[in-house]
Amino acid sequence: MVKRVGQKKRGNPSRKTKKIILMGTEGSNQTERKYFSMFNKLQNEYRILFSKGNNTDPVGVVNDLLKGAKKEELDLKHGDALACFIDVDFKSGREKELREAIKLAKKKNVDLYLSNPCFEIWYLLHFRYSTKSYCSNDEVIKELSAYIQDYSKSKDVFGLIIGNLETAMKNTKKLEDYHFENGTLDAIKKIPSTEVYKIVDKIIQNSSD
């Protein structure tokens, strides 16, 4: 019999056990962690946790997440999930690393969400729709700073953007349609793009304020 994750950690056994989404991010990056941790205050279906590890290469991030899943005794067959966030970025040799990570994630039932070139595309889509082909992460952050003053990757922006979530979902899906209509189906080649909306949609579909 598979042990249900958290039975010994979640306290009162009479209370309905929450499903866990264990998330993995690159290195010491706080951007995704600060954003997604806030959903714990808004919803009751999932409990969002984060794996430990300082890997910055995509395969390493996936492996750190798998180690965390084992430690937390996740039960993927009964609603727990693994979510990994990777920036496509502009680093040399990045495409090969990404394809290896995608292959590993698929094999290990990890949901891998790419942002191209970086996670801040998701934030930017809360304010505007654009198909601009960015040349650097800094270029994205510079544009985002026009909407979020003094933006930095460690800044907690959840409260500043949550009111625009519906706009972000519409803009992101519109961007997906744009790439599809132009024949760009490979997530690594879609710029700009982000798959973050998929996990956000999963969370909010099972939430209550």
Side-chain angles (χ1 to χ4, degrees):
M1 179 177 178
V2 177
K3 187 174 184 180
R4 184 68 182 95
V5 59
Q7 287 178 334
K8 64 180 180 181
K9 300 176 182 178
R10 299 185 193 179
N12 188 352
S14 65
R15 187 190 310 170
K16 183 181 183 294
T17 303
K18 289 185 178 181
K19 300 171 185 175
I20 284 180
I21 299 179
L22 185 65
M23 298 184 170
T25 62
E26 298 178 69
S28 58
N29 191 348
Q30 294 296 311
T31 310
E32 296 92 333
R33 293 172 183 258
K34 284 183 177 293
Y35 176 72
F36 281 107
S37 64
M38 294 302 294
F39 281 101
N40 282 324
K41 299 182 178 182
L42 301 182
Q43 51 77 38
N44 62 3
E45 181 70 17
Y46 293 106
R47 181 183 174 203
I48 296 171
L49 302 176
F50 299 91
S51 64
K52 296 180 180 180
N54 293 313
N55 273 299
T56 56
D57 65 286
V59 172
V61 176
V62 175
N63 280 324
D64 282 343
L65 183 58
L66 292 171
K67 291 177 184 176
K70 185 176 181 179
K71 182 177 180 180
E72 291 291 339
E73 300 175 324
L74 293 198
D75 188 350
L76 303 184
K77 293 182 179 180
H78 291 85
D80 292 334
L82 299 173
C84 191
F85 300 95
I86 302 291
D87 290 347
V88 173
D89 221 328
F90 294 93
K91 299 175 183 177
S92 176
R94 187 69 165 180
E95 183 173 342
K96 180 181 178 181
E97 294 178 345
L98 289 168
R99 297 206 182 280
E100 290 176 354
I102 291 170
K103 183 178 179 179
L104 177 61
K106 185 176 181 180
K107 180 180 179 181
K108 298 294 185 178
N109 295 314
V110 173
D111 297 319
L112 194 152
Y113 302 99
L114 296 179
S115 292
N116 193 355
C118 56
F119 188 84
E120 280 78 9
I121 285 292
W122 169 242
Y123 288 167
L124 193 57
L125 286 164
H126 284 69
F127 302 100
R128 55 171 285 190
Y129 169 78
S130 175
T131 60
K132 179 179 178 178
S133 183
Y134 295 95
C135 297
S136 69
N137 296 353
D138 288 341
E139 189 177 359
V140 178
I141 292 173
K142 182 179 180 179
E143 289 199 8
L144 181 60
S145 296
Y147 301 96
I148 302 177
Q149 188 175 8
D150 300 320
Y151 176 79
S152 69
K153 295 186 80 67
S154 61
K155 187 179 182 70
D156 183 357
V157 304
F158 189 88
L160 301 175
I161 67 174
I162 189 61
N164 294 349
L165 181 58
E166 184 176 350
T167 298
M169 298 294 281
K170 289 180 179 178
N171 284 341
T172 310
K173 292 174 182 177
K174 183 178 179 181
L175 195 54
E176 286 288 285
D177 290 340
Y178 165 80
H179 288 300
F180 179 79
E181 291 168 1
N182 284 276
T184 308
L185 305 181
D186 186 345
I188 296 176
K189 302 297 185 181
K190 296 177 184 177
I191 182 168
S193 67
T194 179
E195 298 176 319
V196 173
Y197 76 97
K198 297 177 182 179
I199 185 66
V200 172
D201 190 50
K202 179 175 182 176
I203 295 170
I204 64 176
Q205 287 296 325
N206 294 278
S207 68
S208 59
D209 295 345

